[in-house]
Amino acid sequence: MTTREHDTATPRGGVFWRFAARSLKLNRSRSIVSVIGIALSCALITAIFTSVVTLYQGLLKAEIVTEGTWQVELVDASDADLASLRSDPRIERIYERVSYGDALMPVSFEGYWGRYLSAHEWPTADAVGDLKPLPAIAEGREPQAPDEIVLPRDLKGLNTTGGSWLYDSLPTTGRDDTVPRVAWDGELGIGSTMEVSLGQRMFIDPETNDEYPCRYDEALFTTESPKGDVISEYLADPAPAQTFKVVGFYAPSDEGIYDQWDSSGPGYQAFVASPNATGHVASAYLATNLSTRADIDALVEEYTGASNAASAEVDPSQSSAQTADWPAAHLHDGLLRYQGLVDDRAIWGTLYTLAAILSGVVIVASVSLIYNSFAIAVSERTRQFGLLSSLGASKRQLRRSVYAEALMLAAIGIPAGLAIGLAGTFVVFNIAGEGIGMLIDQEVFAGTGLTAITVDPLVIALSALLALLTVLMSATVPAWRASRVSAIDAIRQSRDVRLSRRERKSQRTAAHGDG
């Protein structure tokens, strides 16, 4: 038996691929319709998941613009810890926030909030990078000399008696009654001079009467008494008063933006440039290369001894854990959530669940459409499958021929669908991107919108895989039917073949001629 005769008697895989290709060529209209259905299915799936990823990137961008890229803030880290952090391979970037202490504001500012003026080193772009958004100068300029200071805009225009509108005055410990308070003449403005005596806030534990230094971001410590709340902290070790010149006021660029710098502690945050005072690192903002929440928690526990950390979204002033052993760390949960590094993935799960549901609907509808195409194709080729069966083709080989046809159609439709899906998503976001961006964050996307889509290779691969599974599922039942076609079915279909109109006319003409 020759090789050609052997191939005819026992069809092999290559024969069925050629058989499938020939069938597609002979039925071009149906093949084109099938390719269009596959492409549309893949395009819709691609558009759904690309839109979700783009929305997540928009949320991440808004979080970074408003809050920064820091993941962990370690408060009052020791010198040894700071040295370890600087060489820790897990830390990619670090910003050390330097504090020079606190000063008592005038008596009229005494209350739950406003008692202190905290002096920190002006954060430069080189030092901070993208870890935190820099303070925005609303008027004037940043401090450049040791005797220059920048204040929050809330203090502009106030005099030493102008703080009485904040709260009613609270009783104090009396331990800092003789400490010089911040003093200035007239209303604060550019060019005003201030006398500032910097010291250390100390907390008195009402149960043990022990004293502890306060962290820079802790709210005012008070205790209850029969006459109401009493301030249970004081300013210790005040340095000689220094004279500062006001060179600027800072404030968020929009009234609705949360102030990242003047929003913690029981008073106002001022910035200076290397004054004649001893500073210490109040906190270290860290960006890591860690990929799981467990690793983040382990890092925090290693440097703080605490198994958990306060959330960056929780106002420290509202914390009930105002004790000396309060965890000296904050986590940037907003950023960690969009990076997939938190246990609570409510937003993450909601959007991707929605995408999965929509994709499921698309897949079900697509299976119905593509299935009809394969079912018709198998029905039309019953005679061919029967002949192959009579030549010795196994059921598996007959199924393979249908799957080969499906894969050929998918090889054309899926790449086209990916391109169409990405192009459609790009068009939609460029048309409606401004509205979408405003829904995410009005300030970040004002005037620009969310127009740039995110092309994620994993999303492309997932979309292609789901489209391929859709095609294979659509071909499963027709392939099973093709494998059950016998030679008898082929003979029956041959008997059912109807003559064309031209053939019937020729037969009638021949019959009349014979008559």
Side-chain angles (χ1 to χ4, degrees), residues 320-338:
S320 60
Q322 290 184 332
T323 60
D325 58 353
W326 187 55
H330 302 299
L331 296 184
H332 191 170
D333 279 342
L335 180 71
L336 296 178
R337 180 182 298 114
Y338 302 131

Side-chain angles (χ1 to χ4, degrees), residues 265-279:
Y268 298 94
Q269 173 70 68
F271 290 106
V272 295
S274 302
N276 298 320
T278 301

Side-chain angles (χ1 to χ4, degrees), residues 446-466:
T448 61
L450 185 60
T451 58
I453 67 171
T454 301
V455 181
D456 190 335
L458 292 178
V459 168
I460 300 300
L462 177 62
S463 301
L465 177 61
L466 290 177

Side-chain angles (χ1 to χ4, degrees), residues 220-233:
L220 187 71
F221 285 93
T222 61
T223 55
E224 295 182 357
S225 72
K227 297 181 180 180
D229 288 343
V230 176
I231 295 176
S232 54
E233 66 171 76

Side-chain angles (χ1 to χ4, degrees), residues 12 43 94 99 112 120 144-145 164 189 191-192 208 226 251 298 304 352 363 393 418 447 457 483 487 505:
R12 295 182 179 180
I94 180 172
S99 170
Y112 291 99
H120 282 222
Q144 298 173 351
S164 58
S192 298
T208 64
T304 66
Y352 273 104
I363 289 173
L418 293 174
S483 69
K505 184 177 181 181

